[in-house]
Amino acid sequence: MQFKTFGEWLRHQRLQREISPFKMAEALGYKRVSAIYNFEYGIAPLPITKWRAMAVVLQLSMDEFLKIMEPFSPDKVTEFQLIRGTAVPSDGALNGRAADSDEESLTVIAPTSVFVADDHLRAYGSEDAETVLVTRETGEDSLRLAIDQLRRHRGTRLGWLQVIEGVPFPSAAAVSALKKVKTVCVLELENEQEPPASLAAPLKAAFLDALTGAEGYPEIHRVPKIFSVMIQPPLEEWAAHGIEDILRHCQENGRRRHLTVKMERPVSVPTKRR
């Protein structure tokens, strides 16, 4: 049977296997069953971070699932395979690429590699991180590669939390993601035409709410150092040396929490891929 969209294929598979939308939503970590209907009717794409869970629900191997996704999302399949090939062992050892047989014991350095609430956040290599970068949706491919290089070649326990634009700040989920880290660097890109709202302010407020026991927040007993770093000039593509410069500035200015970092070797900004 031929299917024009992934959603058509997914709905057919779910009905054939007699999987309720409620069960599928729960297995993928969604609170609302509407997420499944959004995938089936093409309202929203299945996030790449949910592919592994979807394969498990449908009782498919990851290779089988990738073959199915190939005609529908070839670019995302390539991205998934790249991420899959740059996995890092969950104990933090940097041993390069692992065999497929060991794949389940790896923490994939990828967006939402850990969790997220309602898809408002994407986490990347943050399970064992001591320092986490917090950004909006910008330059995600180059930032993943830069973090991977620093983890692999410098032994830097660095992670990344990306806040999805166009939604309210996910306060409780952000605290859950960052409560164990030592340092948080919120990266703000300077934009004279449309200055972005600061991410540092709502993040600090979220930690204050959690620390004072506000309803709906995880229990915490400490707050990480939170730096607000304005990047000049504004970039959408990152390099490992630039990230190292940012971390060095934060380390050297431990008491100053609002910094401006001028990138000495800015990288050209590519067209953002949708």
PDB file of all heavy atoms in Angstrom, residues 3-35:
ATOM      1  N   PHE A   3       1.576   5.266   0.570  1.00  0.00           N
ATOM      2  CA  PHE A   3       1.118   6.344   1.439  1.00  0.00           C
ATOM      3  C   PHE A   3       1.764   7.651   0.984  1.00  0.00           C
ATOM      4  O   PHE A   3       2.961   7.697   0.720  1.00  0.00           O
ATOM      5  CB  PHE A   3       1.488   6.059   2.898  1.00  0.00           C
ATOM      6  CG  PHE A   3       0.871   4.802   3.438  1.00  0.00           C
ATOM      7  CD1 PHE A   3       1.595   3.612   3.451  1.00  0.00           C
ATOM      8  CD2 PHE A   3      -0.431   4.810   3.921  1.00  0.00           C
ATOM      9  CE1 PHE A   3       1.034   2.453   3.937  1.00  0.00           C
ATOM     10  CE2 PHE A   3      -1.000   3.645   4.413  1.00  0.00           C
ATOM     11  CZ  PHE A   3      -0.274   2.459   4.416  1.00  0.00           C
ATOM     12  N   LYS A   4       0.952   8.700   0.891  1.00  0.00           N
ATOM     13  CA  LYS A   4       1.460   9.986   0.434  1.00  0.00           C
ATOM     14  C   LYS A   4       2.238  10.714   1.527  1.00  0.00           C
ATOM     15  O   LYS A   4       3.139  11.492   1.235  1.00  0.00           O
ATOM     16  CB  LYS A   4       0.308  10.860  -0.053  1.00  0.00           C
ATOM     17  CG  LYS A   4      -0.390  10.319  -1.294  1.00  0.00           C
ATOM     18  CD  LYS A   4      -1.501  11.264  -1.731  1.00  0.00           C
ATOM     19  CE  LYS A   4      -2.203  10.758  -2.987  1.00  0.00           C
ATOM     20  NZ  LYS A   4      -3.301  11.656  -3.404  1.00  0.00           N
ATOM     21  N   THR A   5       1.876  10.496   2.777  1.00  0.00           N
ATOM     22  CA  THR A   5       2.518  11.199   3.888  1.00  0.00           C
ATOM     23  C   THR A   5       2.863  10.224   5.003  1.00  0.00           C
ATOM     24  O   THR A   5       2.297   9.122   5.088  1.00  0.00           O
ATOM     25  CB  THR A   5       1.602  12.285   4.482  1.00  0.00           C
ATOM     26  OG1 THR A   5       0.454  11.661   5.076  1.00  0.00           O
ATOM     27  CG2 THR A   5       1.144  13.255   3.396  1.00  0.00           C
ATOM     28  N   PHE A   6       3.780  10.646   5.848  1.00  0.00           N
ATOM     29  CA  PHE A   6       4.111   9.835   7.023  1.00  0.00           C
ATOM     30  C   PHE A   6       2.892   9.685   7.924  1.00  0.00           C
ATOM     31  O   PHE A   6       2.665   8.620   8.515  1.00  0.00           O
ATOM     32  CB  PHE A   6       5.249  10.491   7.806  1.00  0.00           C
ATOM     33  CG  PHE A   6       5.451   9.889   9.163  1.00  0.00           C
ATOM     34  CD1 PHE A   6       6.044   8.643   9.317  1.00  0.00           C
ATOM     35  CD2 PHE A   6       5.032  10.569  10.304  1.00  0.00           C
ATOM     36  CE1 PHE A   6       6.215   8.073  10.577  1.00  0.00           C
ATOM     37  CE2 PHE A   6       5.205  10.016  11.560  1.00  0.00           C
ATOM     38  CZ  PHE A   6       5.796   8.766  11.694  1.00  0.00           C
ATOM     39  N   GLY A   7       2.091  10.744   8.033  1.00  0.00           N
ATOM     40  CA  GLY A   7       0.903  10.684   8.876  1.00  0.00           C
ATOM     41  C   GLY A   7      -0.059   9.589   8.447  1.00  0.00           C
ATOM     42  O   GLY A   7      -0.623   8.870   9.289  1.00  0.00           O
ATOM     43  N   GLU A   8      -0.269   9.448   7.132  1.00  0.00           N
ATOM     44  CA  GLU A   8      -1.143   8.384   6.627  1.00  0.00           C
ATOM     45  C   GLU A   8      -0.583   7.022   7.001  1.00  0.00           C
ATOM     46  O   GLU A   8      -1.322   6.121   7.420  1.00  0.00           O
ATOM     47  CB  GLU A   8      -1.294   8.501   5.110  1.00  0.00           C
ATOM     48  CG  GLU A   8      -2.086   9.711   4.653  1.00  0.00           C
ATOM     49  CD  GLU A   8      -2.202   9.752   3.138  1.00  0.00           C
ATOM     50  OE1 GLU A   8      -1.676   8.826   2.464  1.00  0.00           O
ATOM     51  OE2 GLU A   8      -2.814  10.702   2.601  1.00  0.00           O
ATOM     52  N   TRP A   9       0.730   6.872   6.815  1.00  0.00           N
ATOM     53  CA  TRP A   9       1.372   5.592   7.166  1.00  0.00           C
ATOM     54  C   TRP A   9       1.238   5.313   8.660  1.00  0.00           C
ATOM     55  O   TRP A   9       0.929   4.193   9.062  1.00  0.00           O
ATOM     56  CB  TRP A   9       2.846   5.637   6.776  1.00  0.00           C
ATOM     57  CG  TRP A   9       3.596   4.410   7.202  1.00  0.00           C
ATOM     58  CD1 TRP A   9       3.728   3.235   6.505  1.00  0.00           C
ATOM     59  CD2 TRP A   9       4.311   4.228   8.431  1.00  0.00           C
ATOM     60  NE1 TRP A   9       4.467   2.334   7.234  1.00  0.00           N
ATOM     61  CE2 TRP A   9       4.839   2.914   8.420  1.00  0.00           C
ATOM     62  CE3 TRP A   9       4.549   5.031   9.537  1.00  0.00           C
ATOM     63  CZ2 TRP A   9       5.591   2.399   9.477  1.00  0.00           C
ATOM     64  CZ3 TRP A   9       5.286   4.534  10.592  1.00  0.00           C
ATOM     65  CH2 TRP A   9       5.805   3.240  10.556  1.00  0.00           C
ATOM     66  N   LEU A  10       1.452   6.331   9.477  1.00  0.00           N
ATOM     67  CA  LEU A  10       1.395   6.153  10.929  1.00  0.00           C
ATOM     68  C   LEU A  10      -0.002   5.748  11.378  1.00  0.00           C
ATOM     69  O   LEU A  10      -0.156   4.821  12.191  1.00  0.00           O
ATOM     70  CB  LEU A  10       1.814   7.449  11.627  1.00  0.00           C
ATOM     71  CG  LEU A  10       1.740   7.445  13.158  1.00  0.00           C
ATOM     72  CD1 LEU A  10       2.678   6.389  13.725  1.00  0.00           C
ATOM     73  CD2 LEU A  10       2.086   8.821  13.705  1.00  0.00           C
ATOM     74  N   ARG A  11      -1.000   6.414  10.858  1.00  0.00           N
ATOM     75  CA  ARG A  11      -2.370   6.086  11.249  1.00  0.00           C
ATOM     76  C   ARG A  11      -2.709   4.649  10.853  1.00  0.00           C
ATOM     77  O   ARG A  11      -3.322   3.908  11.622  1.00  0.00           O
ATOM     78  CB  ARG A  11      -3.352   7.068  10.614  1.00  0.00           C
ATOM     79  CG  ARG A  11      -4.808   6.804  11.015  1.00  0.00           C
ATOM     80  CD  ARG A  11      -5.719   7.925  10.552  1.00  0.00           C
ATOM     81  NE  ARG A  11      -7.102   7.659  10.886  1.00  0.00           N
ATOM     82  CZ  ARG A  11      -7.633   7.848  12.090  1.00  0.00           C
ATOM     83  NH1 ARG A  11      -6.883   8.312  13.071  1.00  0.00           N
ATOM     84  NH2 ARG A  11      -8.901   7.593  12.319  1.00  0.00           N
ATOM     85  N   HIS A  12      -2.297   4.261   9.640  1.00  0.00           N
ATOM     86  CA  HIS A  12      -2.544   2.891   9.183  1.00  0.00           C
ATOM     87  C   HIS A  12      -1.869   1.886  10.112  1.00  0.00           C
ATOM     88  O   HIS A  12      -2.486   0.889  10.513  1.00  0.00           O
ATOM     89  CB  HIS A  12      -2.021   2.720   7.757  1.00  0.00           C
ATOM     90  CG  HIS A  12      -2.122   1.315   7.246  1.00  0.00           C
ATOM     91  ND1 HIS A  12      -3.305   0.766   6.798  1.00  0.00           N
ATOM     92  CD2 HIS A  12      -1.174   0.337   7.124  1.00  0.00           C
ATOM     93  CE1 HIS A  12      -3.094  -0.484   6.420  1.00  0.00           C
ATOM     94  NE2 HIS A  12      -1.811  -0.764   6.606  1.00  0.00           N
ATOM     95  N   GLN A  13      -0.616   2.144  10.464  1.00  0.00           N
ATOM     96  CA  GLN A  13       0.119   1.229  11.339  1.00  0.00           C
ATOM     97  C   GLN A  13      -0.506   1.153  12.732  1.00  0.00           C
ATOM     98  O   GLN A  13      -0.612   0.074  13.327  1.00  0.00           O
ATOM     99  CB  GLN A  13       1.583   1.673  11.461  1.00  0.00           C
ATOM    100  CG  GLN A  13       2.388   1.521  10.192  1.00  0.00           C
ATOM    101  CD  GLN A  13       2.555   0.060   9.799  1.00  0.00           C
ATOM    102  OE1 GLN A  13       2.816  -0.791  10.639  1.00  0.00           O
ATOM    103  NE2 GLN A  13       2.401  -0.221   8.514  1.00  0.00           N
ATOM    104  N   ARG A  14      -0.907   2.284  13.247  1.00  0.00           N
ATOM    105  CA  ARG A  14      -1.493   2.302  14.592  1.00  0.00           C
ATOM    106  C   ARG A  14      -2.790   1.504  14.643  1.00  0.00           C
ATOM    107  O   ARG A  14      -3.024   0.717  15.585  1.00  0.00           O
ATOM    108  CB  ARG A  14      -1.744   3.749  15.029  1.00  0.00           C
ATOM    109  CG  ARG A  14      -2.282   3.862  16.450  1.00  0.00           C
ATOM    110  CD  ARG A  14      -2.407   5.307  16.887  1.00  0.00           C
ATOM    111  NE  ARG A  14      -3.366   6.064  16.111  1.00  0.00           N
ATOM    112  CZ  ARG A  14      -4.693   5.961  16.259  1.00  0.00           C
ATOM    113  NH1 ARG A  14      -5.206   5.106  17.134  1.00  0.00           N
ATOM    114  NH2 ARG A  14      -5.496   6.704  15.519  1.00  0.00           N
ATOM    115  N   LEU A  15      -3.642   1.686  13.621  1.00  0.00           N
ATOM    116  CA  LEU A  15      -4.905   0.960  13.579  1.00  0.00           C
ATOM    117  C   LEU A  15      -4.685  -0.530  13.345  1.00  0.00           C
ATOM    118  O   LEU A  15      -5.358  -1.369  13.940  1.00  0.00           O
ATOM    119  CB  LEU A  15      -5.810   1.554  12.498  1.00  0.00           C
ATOM    120  CG  LEU A  15      -6.259   3.007  12.739  1.00  0.00           C
ATOM    121  CD1 LEU A  15      -7.063   3.519  11.548  1.00  0.00           C
ATOM    122  CD2 LEU A  15      -7.073   3.112  14.020  1.00  0.00           C
ATOM    123  N   GLN A  16      -3.729  -0.853  12.454  1.00  0.00           N
ATOM    124  CA  GLN A  16      -3.440  -2.254  12.176  1.00  0.00           C
ATOM    125  C   GLN A  16      -2.950  -2.989  13.427  1.00  0.00           C
ATOM    126  O   GLN A  16      -3.287  -4.151  13.655  1.00  0.00           O
ATOM    127  CB  GLN A  16      -2.375  -2.365  11.084  1.00  0.00           C
ATOM    128  CG  GLN A  16      -2.887  -2.074   9.681  1.00  0.00           C
ATOM    129  CD  GLN A  16      -3.730  -3.206   9.132  1.00  0.00           C
ATOM    130  OE1 GLN A  16      -4.958  -3.134   9.154  1.00  0.00           O
ATOM    131  NE2 GLN A  16      -3.091  -4.251   8.655  1.00  0.00           N
ATOM    132  N   ARG A  17      -2.171  -2.295  14.239  1.00  0.00           N
ATOM    133  CA  ARG A  17      -1.604  -2.904  15.439  1.00  0.00           C
ATOM    134  C   ARG A  17      -2.497  -2.720  16.668  1.00  0.00           C
ATOM    135  O   ARG A  17      -2.125  -3.117  17.775  1.00  0.00           O
ATOM    136  CB  ARG A  17      -0.215  -2.313  15.702  1.00  0.00           C
ATOM    137  CG  ARG A  17       0.780  -2.589  14.579  1.00  0.00           C
ATOM    138  CD  ARG A  17       2.041  -1.759  14.748  1.00  0.00           C
ATOM    139  NE  ARG A  17       2.917  -1.870  13.582  1.00  0.00           N
ATOM    140  CZ  ARG A  17       3.870  -2.783  13.443  1.00  0.00           C
ATOM    141  NH1 ARG A  17       4.079  -3.657  14.419  1.00  0.00           N
ATOM    142  NH2 ARG A  17       4.619  -2.820  12.362  1.00  0.00           N
ATOM    143  N   GLU A  18      -3.638  -2.052  16.453  1.00  0.00           N
ATOM    144  CA  GLU A  18      -4.609  -1.835  17.523  1.00  0.00           C
ATOM    145  C   GLU A  18      -3.983  -1.103  18.715  1.00  0.00           C
ATOM    146  O   GLU A  18      -4.151  -1.482  19.878  1.00  0.00           O
ATOM    147  CB  GLU A  18      -5.248  -3.154  17.969  1.00  0.00           C
ATOM    148  CG  GLU A  18      -6.017  -3.841  16.860  1.00  0.00           C
ATOM    149  CD  GLU A  18      -6.686  -5.129  17.316  1.00  0.00           C
ATOM    150  OE1 GLU A  18      -6.376  -5.590  18.441  1.00  0.00           O
ATOM    151  OE2 GLU A  18      -7.530  -5.655  16.579  1.00  0.00           O
ATOM    152  N   ILE A  19      -3.234  -0.050  18.395  1.00  0.00           N
ATOM    153  CA  ILE A  19      -2.626   0.786  19.427  1.00  0.00           C
ATOM    154  C   ILE A  19      -3.489   2.031  19.594  1.00  0.00           C
ATOM    155  O   ILE A  19      -3.715   2.762  18.634  1.00  0.00           O
ATOM    156  CB  ILE A  19      -1.198   1.203  19.036  1.00  0.00           C
ATOM    157  CG1 ILE A  19      -0.322  -0.027  18.778  1.00  0.00           C
ATOM    158  CG2 ILE A  19      -0.574   2.074  20.125  1.00  0.00           C
ATOM    159  CD1 ILE A  19       1.041   0.302  18.202  1.00  0.00           C
ATOM    160  N   SER A  20      -3.988   2.251  20.773  1.00  0.00           N
ATOM    161  CA  SER A  20      -4.833   3.420  20.987  1.00  0.00           C
ATOM    162  C   SER A  20      -3.979   4.688  20.939  1.00  0.00           C
ATOM    163  O   SER A  20      -2.792   4.664  21.287  1.00  0.00           O
ATOM    164  CB  SER A  20      -5.529   3.335  22.341  1.00  0.00           C
ATOM    165  OG  SER A  20      -4.619   3.595  23.393  1.00  0.00           O
ATOM    166  N   PRO A  21      -4.577   5.800  20.517  1.00  0.00           N
ATOM    167  CA  PRO A  21      -3.815   7.058  20.506  1.00  0.00           C
ATOM    168  C   PRO A  21      -3.351   7.458  21.909  1.00  0.00           C
ATOM    169  O   PRO A  21      -2.325   8.096  22.071  1.00  0.00           O
ATOM    170  CB  PRO A  21      -4.786   8.075  19.917  1.00  0.00           C
ATOM    171  CG  PRO A  21      -6.137   7.469  20.100  1.00  0.00           C
ATOM    172  CD  PRO A  21      -5.951   5.998  20.024  1.00  0.00           C
ATOM    173  N   PHE A  22      -4.124   7.057  22.929  1.00  0.00           N
ATOM    174  CA  PHE A  22      -3.743   7.374  24.309  1.00  0.00           C
ATOM    175  C   PHE A  22      -2.474   6.622  24.701  1.00  0.00           C
ATOM    176  O   PHE A  22      -1.563   7.185  25.315  1.00  0.00           O
ATOM    177  CB  PHE A  22      -4.889   7.009  25.262  1.00  0.00           C
ATOM    178  CG  PHE A  22      -6.158   7.758  24.979  1.00  0.00           C
ATOM    179  CD1 PHE A  22      -7.157   7.182  24.194  1.00  0.00           C
ATOM    180  CD2 PHE A  22      -6.344   9.040  25.470  1.00  0.00           C
ATOM    181  CE1 PHE A  22      -8.324   7.876  23.922  1.00  0.00           C
ATOM    182  CE2 PHE A  22      -7.515   9.739  25.206  1.00  0.00           C
ATOM    183  CZ  PHE A  22      -8.502   9.158  24.424  1.00  0.00           C
ATOM    184  N   LYS A  23      -2.408   5.349  24.330  1.00  0.00           N
ATOM    185  CA  LYS A  23      -1.225   4.545  24.642  1.00  0.00           C
ATOM    186  C   LYS A  23      -0.001   5.076  23.899  1.00  0.00           C
ATOM    187  O   LYS A  23       1.097   5.146  24.464  1.00  0.00           O
ATOM    188  CB  LYS A  23      -1.476   3.087  24.265  1.00  0.00           C
ATOM    189  CG  LYS A  23      -0.300   2.168  24.574  1.00  0.00           C
ATOM    190  CD  LYS A  23      -0.608   0.728  24.203  1.00  0.00           C
ATOM    191  CE  LYS A  23       0.587  -0.171  24.486  1.00  0.00           C
ATOM    192  NZ  LYS A  23       0.303  -1.585  24.117  1.00  0.00           N
ATOM    193  N   MET A  24      -0.188   5.451  22.632  1.00  0.00           N
ATOM    194  CA  MET A  24       0.934   5.963  21.854  1.00  0.00           C
ATOM    195  C   MET A  24       1.423   7.293  22.415  1.00  0.00           C
ATOM    196  O   MET A  24       2.633   7.521  22.527  1.00  0.00           O
ATOM    197  CB  MET A  24       0.528   6.113  20.388  1.00  0.00           C
ATOM    198  CG  MET A  24       1.655   6.618  19.490  1.00  0.00           C
ATOM    199  SD  MET A  24       1.235   6.538  17.725  1.00  0.00           S
ATOM    200  CE  MET A  24       1.445   4.765  17.413  1.00  0.00           C
ATOM    201  N   ALA A  25       0.502   8.165  22.796  1.00  0.00           N
ATOM    202  CA  ALA A  25       0.886   9.454  23.369  1.00  0.00           C
ATOM    203  C   ALA A  25       1.677   9.253  24.655  1.00  0.00           C
ATOM    204  O   ALA A  25       2.707   9.901  24.879  1.00  0.00           O
ATOM    205  CB  ALA A  25      -0.354  10.305  23.637  1.00  0.00           C
ATOM    206  N   GLU A  26       1.216   8.345  25.492  1.00  0.00           N
ATOM    207  CA  GLU A  26       1.903   8.078  26.760  1.00  0.00           C
ATOM    208  C   GLU A  26       3.308   7.536  26.514  1.00  0.00           C
ATOM    209  O   GLU A  26       4.270   7.925  27.176  1.00  0.00           O
ATOM    210  CB  GLU A  26       1.092   7.086  27.585  1.00  0.00           C
ATOM    211  CG  GLU A  26       1.705   6.783  28.948  1.00  0.00           C
ATOM    212  CD  GLU A  26       0.883   5.779  29.735  1.00  0.00           C
ATOM    213  OE1 GLU A  26      -0.016   5.138  29.141  1.00  0.00           O
ATOM    214  OE2 GLU A  26       1.146   5.614  30.937  1.00  0.00           O
ATOM    215  N   ALA A  27       3.434   6.620  25.546  1.00  0.00           N
ATOM    216  CA  ALA A  27       4.734   6.008  25.250  1.00  0.00           C
ATOM    217  C   ALA A  27       5.732   7.035  24.721  1.00  0.00           C
ATOM    218  O   ALA A  27       6.936   6.908  24.930  1.00  0.00           O
ATOM    219  CB  ALA A  27       4.556   4.875  24.237  1.00  0.00           C
ATOM    220  N   LEU A  28       5.234   8.064  24.018  1.00  0.00           N
ATOM    221  CA  LEU A  28       6.108   9.097  23.459  1.00  0.00           C
ATOM    222  C   LEU A  28       6.337  10.263  24.416  1.00  0.00           C
ATOM    223  O   LEU A  28       7.076  11.180  24.101  1.00  0.00           O
ATOM    224  CB  LEU A  28       5.533   9.621  22.146  1.00  0.00           C
ATOM    225  CG  LEU A  28       6.010   8.903  20.866  1.00  0.00           C
ATOM    226  CD1 LEU A  28       5.586   7.440  20.865  1.00  0.00           C
ATOM    227  CD2 LEU A  28       5.491   9.603  19.620  1.00  0.00           C
ATOM    228  N   GLY A  29       5.691  10.209  25.584  1.00  0.00           N
ATOM    229  CA  GLY A  29       5.911  11.249  26.581  1.00  0.00           C
ATOM    230  C   GLY A  29       5.041  12.473  26.432  1.00  0.00           C
ATOM    231  O   GLY A  29       5.371  13.541  26.947  1.00  0.00           O
ATOM    232  N   TYR A  30       3.887  12.327  25.737  1.00  0.00           N
ATOM    233  CA  TYR A  30       2.975  13.453  25.575  1.00  0.00           C
ATOM    234  C   TYR A  30       1.823  13.346  26.574  1.00  0.00           C
ATOM    235  O   TYR A  30       1.326  12.249  26.842  1.00  0.00           O
ATOM    236  CB  TYR A  30       2.410  13.492  24.152  1.00  0.00           C
ATOM    237  CG  TYR A  30       3.436  13.880  23.115  1.00  0.00           C
ATOM    238  CD1 TYR A  30       3.982  12.921  22.262  1.00  0.00           C
ATOM    239  CD2 TYR A  30       3.842  15.199  22.981  1.00  0.00           C
ATOM    240  CE1 TYR A  30       4.934  13.279  21.312  1.00  0.00           C
ATOM    241  CE2 TYR A  30       4.786  15.563  22.028  1.00  0.00           C
ATOM    242  CZ  TYR A  30       5.317  14.603  21.203  1.00  0.00           C
ATOM    243  OH  TYR A  30       6.250  14.957  20.267  1.00  0.00           O
ATOM    244  N   LYS A  31       1.406  14.487  27.075  1.00  0.00           N
ATOM    245  CA  LYS A  31       0.292  14.508  28.014  1.00  0.00           C
ATOM    246  C   LYS A  31      -1.050  14.519  27.296  1.00  0.00           C
ATOM    247  O   LYS A  31      -2.066  14.127  27.867  1.00  0.00           O
ATOM    248  CB  LYS A  31       0.395  15.744  28.920  1.00  0.00           C
ATOM    249  CG  LYS A  31       1.629  15.748  29.808  1.00  0.00           C
ATOM    250  CD  LYS A  31       1.666  17.003  30.653  1.00  0.00           C
ATOM    251  CE  LYS A  31       2.912  17.024  31.544  1.00  0.00           C
ATOM    252  NZ  LYS A  31       2.984  18.258  32.368  1.00  0.00           N
ATOM    253  N   ARG A  32      -1.046  14.980  26.054  1.00  0.00           N
ATOM    254  CA  ARG A  32      -2.303  15.118  25.319  1.00  0.00           C
ATOM    255  C   ARG A  32      -2.303  14.209  24.090  1.00  0.00           C
ATOM    256  O   ARG A  32      -1.330  14.170  23.337  1.00  0.00           O
ATOM    257  CB  ARG A  32      -2.511  16.567  24.890  1.00  0.00           C
ATOM    258  CG  ARG A  32      -2.624  17.535  26.058  1.00  0.00           C
ATOM    259  CD  ARG A  32      -2.836  18.962  25.560  1.00  0.00           C
ATOM    260  NE  ARG A  32      -2.961  19.908  26.660  1.00  0.00           N
ATOM    261  CZ  ARG A  32      -1.939  20.505  27.242  1.00  0.00           C
ATOM    262  NH1 ARG A  32      -0.703  20.269  26.812  1.00  0.00           N
ATOM    263  NH2 ARG A  32      -2.121  21.346  28.245  1.00  0.00           N
ATOM    264  N   VAL A  33      -3.425  13.545  23.886  1.00  0.00           N
ATOM    265  CA  VAL A  33      -3.553  12.645  22.747  1.00  0.00           C
ATOM    266  C   VAL A  33      -3.598  13.416  21.433  1.00  0.00           C
ATOM    267  O   VAL A  33      -3.332  12.857  20.355  1.00  0.00           O
ATOM    268  CB  VAL A  33      -4.821  11.782  22.910  1.00  0.00           C
ATOM    269  CG1 VAL A  33      -6.069  12.637  22.748  1.00  0.00           C
ATOM    270  CG2 VAL A  33      -4.829  10.626  21.921  1.00  0.00           C
ATOM    271  N   SER A  34      -3.879  14.712  21.505  1.00  0.00           N
ATOM    272  CA  SER A  34      -3.941  15.521  20.285  1.00  0.00           C
ATOM    273  C   SER A  34      -2.613  15.523  19.545  1.00  0.00           C
ATOM    274  O   SER A  34      -2.578  15.739  18.322  1.00  0.00           O
ATOM    275  CB  SER A  34      -4.353  16.957  20.624  1.00  0.00           C
ATOM    276  OG  SER A  34      -3.435  17.537  21.536  1.00  0.00           O
ATOM    277  N   ALA A  35      -1.510  15.292  20.266  1.00  0.00           N
ATOM    278  CA  ALA A  35      -0.195  15.258  19.607  1.00  0.00           C
ATOM    279  C   ALA A  35      -0.151  14.170  18.547  1.00  0.00           C
ATOM    280  O   ALA A  35       0.409  14.364  17.461  1.00  0.00           O
ATOM    281  CB  ALA A  35       0.899  15.027  20.645  1.00  0.00           C
TER     282      ALA A  35
END
